[in-house]
Amino acid sequence: IEADVVYGAAVAGMPMNPPAQSSLEGRYVTVVQSPGAAYVVRDDYLAPNLVQSLTDTQYLLYFVLASAGVAGILMWLAEHHGNSEDFPEAFPHGFLDGIWWSIITMTTVGYGDKVPRSFLGRLLALVWVLCGVVMVTLFTASVTTSLTTASLAYNVHIQGSKVHEIRKGHLVRTLWHTIQ
């Protein structure tokens, strides 16, 4: 490749059957064959936009964490007398165990190390599972929307950029480099 030549590339994500491939012969050169999608990315893009997305959704995050705190206190209140093994009677330790339970439950991890045993505790757990899943979903959707909006506003120019071949998350080689 000559150093003073500018190259352009089209990235298509469509499968090529033999008749379609033969109709394009001579017009395009296959640079990489990939079973997946190809993306044009910039190294300095994700971190600032992720921080901005979290900043944009901070009040929702505060609400989710405050709700987890309230659910943890309520679970401790419902369980600390009859289930002191999972939710100790001493407030500082029991409250923290309640917070742990509420966060693990709302993220649907559910380790099973803290289990409500009373009717009131199980009823609260049922309500919290439903509310927690909705809250985590809303937060995830808000961050995703913010990142998508930022990426749509971001104008990507590949002229003058390196194009890399990546396999299984590792850089294999630089395929070509355009000169401005």
Side-chain angles (χ1 to χ4, degrees):
I1 298 177
E2 298 290 328
D4 60 345
V5 177
V6 176
Y7 292 92
V11 178
M14 61 183 186
M16 297 297 286
N17 57 27
Q21 195 168 6
S22 65
S23 69
L24 295 176
E25 285 180 11
R27 290 194 270 173
Y28 295 100
V29 176
T30 302
V31 178
V32 176
Q33 289 186 346
S34 171
Y39 300 95
V40 177
V41 296
R42 288 188 52 144
D43 294 340
D44 60 347
Y45 168 73
L46 183 60
N49 286 326
L50 182 58
V51 170
Q52 183 62 42
S53 295
L54 291 173
T55 303
D56 291 345
T57 58
Q58 68 181 336
Y59 296 114
L60 182 57
L61 179 61
Y62 297 154
F63 175 75
V64 169
L65 293 176
S67 298
V70 169
I73 290 173
L74 291 175
M75 182 55 70
W76 175 79
L77 287 172
E79 291 291 314
H80 76 280
H81 289 301
N83 187 6
S84 59
E85 182 180 315
D86 289 336
F87 299 94
E89 291 200 28
F91 179 76
H93 188 58
F95 160 71
L96 293 175
D97 283 349
I99 298 287
W100 168 257
W101 171 86
S102 68
I103 291 173
I104 295 303
T105 300
M106 91 172 160
T107 58
T108 67
V109 174
Y111 289 126
D113 57 342
K114 308 288 180 205
V115 180
R117 303 203 190 284
S118 68
F119 175 77
L120 182 60
R122 289 180 179 183
L123 183 63
L124 176 64
L126 176 67
V127 170
W128 180 242
V129 165
L130 297 175
C131 291
V133 167
V134 168
M135 282 191 259
V136 169
T137 303
L138 287 173
F139 177 72
T140 304
S142 296
V143 171
T144 303
T145 300
S146 182
L147 283 171
T148 302
T149 303
S151 70
L152 290 175
Y154 189 73
N155 197 3
V156 176
H157 298 286
I158 63 170
Q159 184 175 359
S161 301
K162 292 180 182 179
V163 175
H164 302 285
E165 179 181 358
I166 299 173
R167 290 188 193 156
K168 295 183 181 177
H170 300 288
L171 175 65
V172 176
R173 63 184 167 170
T174 300
L175 298 174
W176 52 263
H177 183 137
T178 60
I179 308 299
Q180 292 181 355

